[in-house]
Amino acid sequence: MNLLYIGVLPSPVSWTSSNETVATVDSDGFVTNLSSGSATIRATVDESYLQLTIAFSTSADSVSDEFMGYVSGSLGEHITNAVDTRLVGKTAANNMLFFTTQDHETATYIRNENVWPANLGASLCSISPWNSTGGVNMAGVAISPLHIIFSAHYQISSGATIRFVLSDNTVITRTMVSKLTHPL
């Protein structure tokens, strides 16, 4: 099985301001207020975007950083609400760990049925709990049966053994035979 190191972001983020006489935004998303008024700041990746309309008030020697909330119906609002709804009533002690059992010596992993995203099913099976380069550190994410993503600053070695756990607690072991650094 070939596993591929991809990188951290598939596409760059582009930033825009709807009213550059009121506020500008640079390529890192930093907003500079120029005058009083409103401006909508938009972050776009491929076909998706998040945007926030901000009312600015300029006075001498004043600086204000304030998040008022997401635009109704925006992707940011949807994602935040979906996560917040799943976290209601959960505690870190018994609802935040993905596995109730993690025995790396015997490769035994039992999924926590109470973890906050448990009912998302198979989509969470791609997170690796262990690899032979970094143990429980440097976990990768399988994005296909043949490919895995790792961060550029925390790579595993070619030839490393990597474990993944299916939703029924079956452990799948793979060997990374090559890797490629994404140019971003």
Side-chain angles (χ1 to χ4, degrees):
M1 165 166 263
N2 292 323
L3 295 176
L4 174 67
Y5 163 76
I6 301 278
V8 289
L9 284 176
S11 300
V13 177
S14 65
W15 294 90
T16 58
S17 170
S18 67
N19 189 345
E20 292 194 347
T21 62
V22 172
T24 59
V25 59
D26 69 16
S27 61
D28 293 319
F30 291 103
V31 177
T32 301
N33 174 224
L34 302 174
S35 65
S36 295
S38 292
T40 300
I41 306 301
R42 179 182 282 201
T44 304
V45 176
D46 296 328
E47 300 294 320
S48 300
Y49 68 89
L50 291 172
Q51 66 183 27
L52 177 65
T53 300
I54 304 168
F56 294 94
S57 178
T58 304
S59 62
D61 299 323
S62 70
V63 175
S64 177
D65 292 328
E66 185 175 354
F67 176 72
M68 301 300 292
Y70 292 104
V71 173
S72 179
S74 70
L75 177 61
E77 179 186 58
H78 174 75
I79 291 170
T80 300
N81 289 344
V83 171
D84 287 350
T85 299
R86 292 177 181 279
L87 292 174
V88 171
K90 303 286 186 184
T91 62
N94 53 2
N95 297 115
M96 298 302 181
L97 298 175
F98 280 90
F99 300 99
T100 56
T101 300
Q102 281 194 83
D103 186 339
H104 305 298
E105 294 296 318
T106 63
T108 302
Y109 304 93
I110 306 297
R111 291 183 168 277
N112 180 359
E113 294 182 14
N114 295 316
V115 70
W116 68 272
N119 64 347
L120 294 177
S123 63
L124 292 175
C125 297
S126 60
I127 300 169
S128 173
W130 180 89
N131 70 73
S132 61
T133 298
V136 298
N137 297 315
M138 297 191 248
V141 176
I143 59 171
S144 85
L146 300 176
H147 301 93
I148 188 167
I149 295 178
F150 282 89
S151 64
H153 66 278
Y154 220 20
Q155 298 183 39
I156 67 167
S157 305
S158 289
T161 300
I162 306 163
R163 294 181 187 147
F164 296 95
V165 183
L166 300 180
S167 58
D168 66 356
N169 297 318
T170 301
V171 177
I172 304 296
T173 301
R174 297 290 188 253
T175 300
M176 188 167 79
V177 297
S178 65
K179 60 184 175 179
L180 172 70
T181 302
H182 193 279
L184 285 180

